[in-house]
């Protein structure tokens, strides 16, 4: 497109195939001629998706907004495979090389990923909190903000615990698992069951993304509200009401439950994601007043803390003022028991001023 920031793709062909392979947070497309005798060499493109990048197949006459790269079909009517990126954080580059600073993929290269982490725990990168290290693509290629929150929450690990402290324990677990493999009394099904019942952090870095991948048609399409609702229901921690959040040292927000951990940033207090209002309150319109002023809300809080002595005083608290208040009354009228006598007719303005004075005295 005219506003796309990526390089021009120097590939022209009447009939070609697009194949793809993913590694962590990168995707490589290969464009190759269908005719083996054609002189056009294959072209590779490596994509990064940023926060909002995705591919979409749609009619060519109905291109979505922010479709920055398009591959057109020859059918009638034609369709377009579009790289859509509303925020423009994504990018593509020519060539087949993965970024050199990215480690093995947590999904497709699990054993290499696990070994790469455990053999490099002396790296200074692991001096940081575990929530920050999980975003380091040199070791956790494929883990992003919502995945780190879900992984730590399932294991009840404080996000600001030192990464090396958390991961060093896994070396001993690996040695124990090697010993169990040699145990003849354990069948393969028992070994698999033990691992499923007690997954460690590195295993969840593999299985939690796989949950999303296996259900991506239901979970990862924000264009369809029903599908996005399924993704929100899948989340257990990230953006979930009642969870706490803090900004890490890189400025990213981490959601968690419980204590943040010993390496939490100083000067910050965890913020709680507000819980949804009770449906009972929504269904009871009488519980809500159509007009509430700051002073009225304060009076209600005081009334809740100090229950009124009589229903008459409670009704007086709930009255809205008829006009602006100026100053405060210096005294408070005391109610005295007296025989009931017929009251003379009092003008309306006087009755209003008496009620206002009584309320000022309450203040």
């Amino acid at each position: 497109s005219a506003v796309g920031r990526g390089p021009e793709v120097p590939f022209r062909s009447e009939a070609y195939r697009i194949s793809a392979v993913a590694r962590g947070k990168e995707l490589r497309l290969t464009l190759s001629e269908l005719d083996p005798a054609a002189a056009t060499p294959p072209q590779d493109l490596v994509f990064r998706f940023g926060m909002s990048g995705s591919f979409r197949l749609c009619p060519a006459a109905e291109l979505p907004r922010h479709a920055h790269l398009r591959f057109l079909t020859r059918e009638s009517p034609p369709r377009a495979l579009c790289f859509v990126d509303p925020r423009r954080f994504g990018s593509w580059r020519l060539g087949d090389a993965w970024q050199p600073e990215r480690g093995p993929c947590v999904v497709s290269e699990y054993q290499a990923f696990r070994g790469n982490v455990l053999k490099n725990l002396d790296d200074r990168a692991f001096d940081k909190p575990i929530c920050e290290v999980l975003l380091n693509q040199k070791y956790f290629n494929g883990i992003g903000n919502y995945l780190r929150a879900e992984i730590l929450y399932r294991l009840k690990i404080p996000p600001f615990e030192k990464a090396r402290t958390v991961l060093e324990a896994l070396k001993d677990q690996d040695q124990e698992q090697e010993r169990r493999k040699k145990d003849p009394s354990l069948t393969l099904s028992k070994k698999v069951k033990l691992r499923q019942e007690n997954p460690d952090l590195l295993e969840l870095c593999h299985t939690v993304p796989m949950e999303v991948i296996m259900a991506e048609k239901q979970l990862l399409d924000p264009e369809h509200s029903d599908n996005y609702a399924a993704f929100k229901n899948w989340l257990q921690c990230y953006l979930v009401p009642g969870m706490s959040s803090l900004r890490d040292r890189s400025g990213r927000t981490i959601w968690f439950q419980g204590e943040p951990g010993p390496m939490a940033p100083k000067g910050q207090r965890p913020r709680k994601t507000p819980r949804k209002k009770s449906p009972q309150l929504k269904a009871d319109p009488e519980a809500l007043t159509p007009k509430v002023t700051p002073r009225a809300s304060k009076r209600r809080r005081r009334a809740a803390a100090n229950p009124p002595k009589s229903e008459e005083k409670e009704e007086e608290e709930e009255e809205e003022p008829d006009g602006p208040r100026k100053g405060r009354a210096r005294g408070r009228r005391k109610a005295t028991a007296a025989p009931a006598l017929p009251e003379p007719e009092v003008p309306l303005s006087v009755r209003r001023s008496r009620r206002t004075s009584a309320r000022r005295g309450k203040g």
Side-chain angles (χ1 to χ4, degrees):
S1 70
V3 296
R5 297 180 179 177
E8 183 71 23
V9 181
F11 182 85
R12 295 292 181 272
S13 172
E14 289 298 317
Y16 62 98
R17 174 183 292 107
I18 303 178
S19 58
V21 60
R23 185 175 185 266
K25 287 193 172 185
E26 293 184 293
L27 179 77
R28 182 169 64 208
L29 296 189
T30 300
L31 316 179
S32 54
E33 285 270 11
L34 289 181
D35 183 2
T40 305
Q43 176 66 58
D44 291 300
L45 306 169
V46 177
F47 288 81
R48 294 176 61 185
F49 291 90
M51 294 180 67
S52 61
S54 65
F55 276 96
R56 196 175 308 168
L57 185 63
C58 59
E62 302 174 11
L63 291 177
R65 295 184 63 190
H66 310 289
H68 300 308
L69 191 62
R70 305 129 185 195
F71 304 93
L72 301 176
T73 68
R74 298 183 65 187
E75 60 191 331
S76 181
R79 289 185 294 171
L81 178 66
C82 306
F83 176 64
V84 183
D85 186 19
R87 297 188 182 184
R88 301 191 191 181
F89 291 163
S91 62
W92 68 85
R93 63 183 185 276
L94 304 179
D96 62 350
W98 306 112
Q99 280 189 312
E101 67 272 17
R102 289 183 179 268
C105 176
V106 297
V107 171
S108 61
E109 302 169 296
Y110 171 68
Q111 292 300 333
F113 148 71
R114 186 180 185 94
N116 185 46
V117 172
L118 295 181
K119 75 181 181 183
N120 288 293
L121 289 181
D122 293 336
D123 192 330
R124 292 178 60 185
F126 295 96
D127 292 336
K128 297 181 179 180
I130 184 63
C131 67
E132 296 180 11
V133 174
L134 284 174
L135 295 183
N136 186 337
Q137 301 300 294
K138 180 179 179 181
Y139 296 108
F140 294 87
N141 185 13
I143 301 299
N145 203 21
Y146 83 90
L147 286 173
R148 67 170 178 171
E150 295 299 311
I151 292 166
L152 294 175
Y153 171 77
R154 295 189 186 192
L155 294 173
K156 307 303 179 189
I157 296 176
F160 291 94
E161 185 66 62
K162 191 173 184 178
R164 188 177 292 107
T165 303
V166 174
L167 294 168
E168 275 185 338
L170 303 189
K171 285 186 174 181
D172 298 334
Q173 290 183 18
D174 280 6
Q175 293 176 358
E176 177 66 18
Q177 288 174 1
E178 288 296 326
R179 186 187 64 79
R180 286 179 178 177
K181 286 180 181 179
K182 300 176 183 179
D183 187 350
S185 63
L186 287 177
T187 63
L188 179 60
S189 60
K190 287 183 178 180
K191 294 175 184 177
V192 172
K193 185 177 180 181
L194 282 173
R195 292 182 68 88
Q196 290 176 344
E197 291 176 349
N198 302 286
D200 59 40
L201 184 140
L202 297 181
E203 287 172 337
L204 286 188
C205 286
H206 171 72
T207 58
V208 174
M210 284 298 296
E211 289 179 16
V212 184
I213 292 171
M214 297 304 292
E216 62 182 340
K217 289 183 179 180
Q218 288 77 31
L219 296 183
L220 293 181
D221 190 357
E223 293 296 315
H224 297 84
S225 58
D226 292 342
N227 293 350
Y228 191 62
F231 174 67
K232 291 177 70 175
N233 291 332
W234 175 83
L235 294 171
Q236 299 180 30
C237 178
Y238 181 80
L239 291 177
V240 172
M243 295 295 165
S244 301
S245 65
L246 278 174
R247 286 190 178 275
D248 62 22
R249 289 170 180 80
S250 62
R252 304 292 298 276
T253 301
I254 175 70
W255 275 262
F256 60 94
Q257 186 179 51
E259 294 298 321
M263 300 183 72
K266 295 181 179 179
Q268 283 194 57
R269 289 185 179 180
R271 294 180 297 171
K272 282 236 176 186
T273 306
R275 293 184 180 275
K276 294 180 180 178
K277 293 183 179 179
S278 170
Q280 185 178 0
L281 291 178
K282 293 182 179 180
D284 184 12
E286 293 181 2
L288 304 176
T289 55
K291 194 175 182 181
V292 180
T293 63
R295 290 194 179 190
S297 62
K298 287 181 181 178
R299 287 200 306 274
R300 289 179 183 175
R301 286 197 295 269
R302 287 199 299 270
N306 304 307
K309 296 181 180 179
S310 68
E311 293 181 4
E312 184 179 346
K313 288 187 177 181
E314 188 175 0
E315 291 174 1
E316 186 178 311
E317 291 268 2
E318 292 294 330
E319 276 189 3
E320 291 293 335
D322 293 308
R325 300 176 179 179
K326 296 182 181 179
R328 292 174 180 262
R330 294 183 179 276
R332 177 180 297 184
R333 297 186 179 184
K334 295 184 180 179
T336 57
L341 297 174
E343 292 185 2
E345 184 67 22
V346 181
L348 178 62
S349 60
V350 175
R351 291 202 302 271
R352 286 181 174 174
S353 65
R354 286 180 181 175
R355 288 201 302 269
T356 306
S357 298
R359 285 194 297 271
R360 289 176 181 167
K362 292 286 183 184

